[in-house]
Amino acid sequence: SHPTFVCVTPQNKILVTDMGGDEVILYDQGENGALIKDEECSFKVKDGSGPRKVVYSSRGHHAYMINEISSMINVYKINDGKYELIQEQLSYKEDECKHENTPTDIILSENGKYLFVSNKGDDTVVVFAVNEDGTIKRIDCMETDAGPIAMLIFKDRWLVVASKQSGTIESFEIREGERNGVLYETHSAFSLHQPVCMEKGAENQSVVMNMFN
């Protein structure tokens, strides 16, 4: 077992991704805070996938998961708490990457139109359009500094990327309706010793960061 991520689902269950067991485990909360595994709704993924993180659509009808080992994005439709796999999509282009790739973070825009995935190895952020049926389509790709590991979105206009290997925090502008893509460079960045995660501060106007020691 190798848990990598935990969250509360829109169905008010506790979700844990188990990379070592290639399993997504859902728990109900019992008396005194005890966790009871939901055997019916928990599910396995393909062997060797390595589930890492899950995000949900705003209405909670779809879930999007990155797999660290296979570099696959799994798209699920949720019915009565059960997860139905409706799409698998590589997070990067194999023929364009010279290094071993690991998807490190996944985030949805606040308006639900775009899904962003960061890739360490390929050193990119890939943008997917979210279709009405919840499936995704690759529409843009932006190179980042070495080893992107975490992302945040501010007011659906700014994407902030932390890169551990290069020790930088950089920002990109999100633009809708442009012919040449969705992400644009701002040339705004600063150095920070091996950042590993970020959280939004008060009023979504600041960033709180953790660094690797």
Side-chain angles (χ1 to χ4, degrees):
S1 178
H2 181 182
T4 55
F5 176 74
V6 61
C7 72
V8 178
T9 74
Q11 294 75 35
N12 206 32
K13 293 180 181 289
I14 307 296
L15 177 144
V16 178
T17 55
D18 179 4
M19 183 184 299
D22 281 323
E23 186 176 12
V24 177
I25 307 170
L26 291 147
Y27 295 94
D28 292 307
Q29 192 167 353
E31 294 182 6
N32 301 320
L35 295 180
I36 304 167
K37 183 177 179 180
D38 186 333
E39 298 285 355
E40 187 177 5
C41 293
S42 298
F43 60 96
K44 287 276 193 178
V45 297
K46 289 181 180 178
D47 290 346
S49 293
R52 180 181 175 109
K53 182 179 178 180
V54 180
V55 295
Y56 291 89
S57 61
S58 59
R59 294 184 179 181
H61 296 160
H62 294 91
Y64 303 87
M65 182 173 72
I66 50 172
N67 292 281
E68 181 171 324
I69 299 173
S70 67
S71 287
M72 280 290 182
I73 305 166
N74 291 4
V75 181
Y76 296 94
K77 184 176 181 179
I78 304 173
N79 292 306
D80 296 325
K82 296 180 181 179
Y83 290 62
E84 176 191 357
L85 181 64
I86 60 173
Q87 185 184 9
E88 292 178 293
Q89 168 73 52
L90 266 177
S91 67
Y92 73 115
K93 289 186 176 181
E94 288 182 289
D95 58 346
E96 295 180 2
C97 182
K98 299 179 181 179
H99 309 283
E100 183 177 344
N101 185 71
T102 300
T104 53
D105 202 5
I106 183 170
I107 190 170
L108 277 163
S109 61
E110 295 168 8
N111 61 17
K113 292 182 178 180
Y114 304 112
L115 182 77
F116 300 84
V117 175
S118 57
N119 291 293
K120 180 179 70 174
D122 193 37
D123 292 340
T124 57
V125 171
V126 178
V127 188
F128 299 88
V130 179
N131 301 315
E132 289 187 7
D133 63 358
T135 58
I136 57 175
K137 179 182 179 181
R138 179 183 168 123
I139 58 170
D140 199 7
C141 180
M142 175 66 69
E143 291 185 356
T144 67
D145 289 338
I149 196 166
M151 298 182 291
L152 285 177
I153 289 178
F154 290 87
K155 299 181 178 179
D156 273 353
R157 185 175 178 188
W158 309 108
L159 178 73
V160 178
V161 180
S163 296
K164 179 182 175 182
Q165 187 176 338
S166 62
T168 55
I169 307 292
E170 57 186 329
S171 65
F172 300 92
E173 186 176 4
I174 301 169
R175 300 180 191 172
E176 288 192 49
E178 296 282 347
R179 280 181 147 187
N180 297 323
V182 175
L183 280 183
Y184 290 81
E185 291 184 289
T186 65
H187 303 288
S188 175
F190 65 91
S191 298
L192 189 68
H193 179 66
Q194 293 188 319
V196 293
C197 68
M198 302 183 292
E199 289 292 340
K200 289 183 179 179
E203 298 181 359
N204 290 344
Q205 293 181 353
S206 60
V207 180
V208 179
M209 289 165 285
N210 286 336
M211 295 172 287
F212 178 79
N213 293 318

